[in-house]
Amino acid sequence: MTRPPLDPAAGTETVTLARDELEDLRAQVRSLNDRTEIAELVDRYVVLLDTQDKHGFDDSWPAAVFTEDCLLEFPVGVLEGRDGAAAFHFDRKSRFARTHHLASNYSITTDGDTARVRVQLVASHVHHDDGPDPGGRFDIGGHSEGEAVRTPDGWRIRRWRFHLTWSDGAGPRPGPGPRALRSSQPRPRT
């Protein structure tokens, strides 16, 4: 980038860039913006893993995360299509009193309107009978990888797969039915 000398008469600094330098900067800014939006998409999903049904079953949240034709693969099951995503996640989460998911070490590679994503994940799952200070958790660690695509509504996950690397503690137990879980959740303050 070439910096011309200051023009004291103008009162401000004017920078002139060659067209190729300007296009390169635009591409860099777009890439950084895309990576930020994709990281925020993954963060939104990870937070929703813990909060999606805080006030009762909610089937609207998957539209903020997944494409209609998404493919989700986990050790506890596979889901094709966004329509069943809320029920799929609700069923798996209902086996625990609460969960806590953490994601880090994002690797995001964009190519136009498609991106490859990989993220490390650690999660704790508290069993229903473990009380407020759990001694018997089910903890897991591994990584998720997948593909995000740019849609008219922003970036969405089209493919997502969790690879389990380790686990500790007793795995999922049958949980309460959806009605019991819904009635036990805290309600929003008015």
Side-chain angles (χ1 to χ4, degrees):
M1 177 176 7
T2 308
R3 281 182 72 104
L6 291 176
D7 179 2
T12 61
E13 182 177 345
T14 303
V15 177
T16 305
L17 296 175
R19 182 170 299 282
D20 61 334
E21 288 177 309
L22 182 59
E23 291 306 316
D24 186 46
L25 283 174
R26 283 184 179 149
Q28 288 177 36
V29 168
R30 181 176 176 135
S31 176
L32 289 170
N33 188 61
D34 287 344
R35 291 173 48 82
T36 298
E37 289 179 7
I38 294 164
E40 288 174 352
L41 168 67
V42 173
D43 287 343
R44 184 167 56 246
Y45 178 45
V46 170
V47 168
L48 281 164
L49 287 172
D50 298 325
T51 64
Q52 62 197 338
D53 299 308
K54 227 177 204 171
H55 308 295
F57 179 73
D58 176 6
D59 64 355
S60 67
W61 70 265
V65 177
F66 304 116
T67 62
E68 287 186 41
D69 63 343
C70 66
L71 173 63
L72 309 176
E73 299 176 77
F74 302 96
V76 294
V78 175
L79 175 76
E80 293 184 53
R82 182 173 69 197
D83 286 343
F88 176 86
H89 284 82
F90 182 83
D91 175 68
R92 276 39 175 207
K93 186 177 176 193
S94 71
R95 299 170 190 186
F96 301 98
R98 56 196 178 279
T99 61
H100 185 207
H101 292 75
L102 298 172
S104 66
N105 302 77
Y106 291 78
S107 173
I108 301 168
T109 306
T110 59
D111 184 9
D113 293 337
T114 304
R116 299 281 310 144
V117 182
R118 180 184 161 113
V119 61
Q120 299 297 108
L121 185 73
V122 175
S124 292
H125 305 76
V126 179
H127 292 290
H128 288 282
D129 56 352
D130 281 342
D133 196 13
R137 293 186 321 264
F138 175 56
D139 297 326
I140 62 171
H143 73 275
S144 289
E145 62 183 350
E147 179 183 69
V149 294
R150 189 189 319 270
T151 73
D153 297 318
W155 287 92
R156 296 295 184 264
I157 295 170
R158 181 166 45 202
R159 286 192 345 258
W160 198 248
R161 184 174 186 186
F162 176 69
H163 301 270
L164 182 66
T165 304
W166 61 269
S167 67
D168 185 38
R173 303 173 189 159
R179 280 190 194 274
L181 184 63
R182 277 197 301 272
S183 64
S184 70
Q185 296 299 320
R187 300 288 180 220
R189 294 184 189 154
T190 55

